[in-house]
Amino acid sequence: MIGLNDFMIVSVVLFCIGLFIIVSKKNAIQILIGIELMLNAAILNLVAFGKYDRINNGGQMFALFAIVLAAATTAVALAIILNVYRQYKTIDPDKINQLKD
């Protein structure tokens, strides 16, 4: 049977992979994927620790709320990345060094 420690290990691995992607990549979309992996690790922890709150299902409800917020944030971030690409013809965050009106 899968225990709480198994979920914790998967969550830590997801978080570390996301952190590595954020630190090592030079592409805005790949950085966004790393952020999403880290967020999914946090959501997995919420669901895993929701095991101890069986009456109110607080962990699952908060995880559902976090998933909805993550979807909205991803949509906004992708829209920003598309607009930056149209303006600068690159999505490398190091090459985008000035803001225009």
Side-chain angles (χ1 to χ4, degrees):
M1 184 162 170
I2 298 176
L4 183 63
N5 288 335
D6 297 331
F7 284 117
M8 295 284 294
I9 291 171
V10 171
S11 179
V12 167
V13 168
L14 275 177
F15 192 86
C16 290
I17 291 172
L19 187 62
F20 174 75
I21 289 173
I22 288 173
V23 171
S24 66
K25 299 298 180 183
K26 298 291 184 185
N27 186 333
I29 294 177
Q30 291 174 342
I31 291 172
L32 182 63
I33 290 171
I35 292 170
E36 290 297 319
L37 281 175
M38 292 172 68
L39 187 61
N40 284 332
I43 290 170
L44 184 61
N45 269 334
L46 288 172
V47 172
F49 283 110
K51 172 184 177 183
Y52 297 110
D53 185 23
R54 293 183 182 174
I55 297 171
N56 295 328
N57 294 326
Q60 286 83 0
M61 295 301 280
F62 194 69
L64 183 62
F65 183 70
I67 290 169
V68 169
L69 284 179
T73 324
T74 303
V76 170
L78 284 174
I80 291 171
I81 289 171
L82 283 174
N83 284 330
V84 165
Y85 180 75
R86 285 184 192 150
Q87 184 74 28
Y88 296 101
K89 301 297 182 220
T90 184
I91 54 174
D92 185 1
D94 292 336
K95 294 181 181 177
I96 302 166
N97 56 7
Q98 51 180 287
L99 295 175
K100 294 183 179 180
D101 290 335

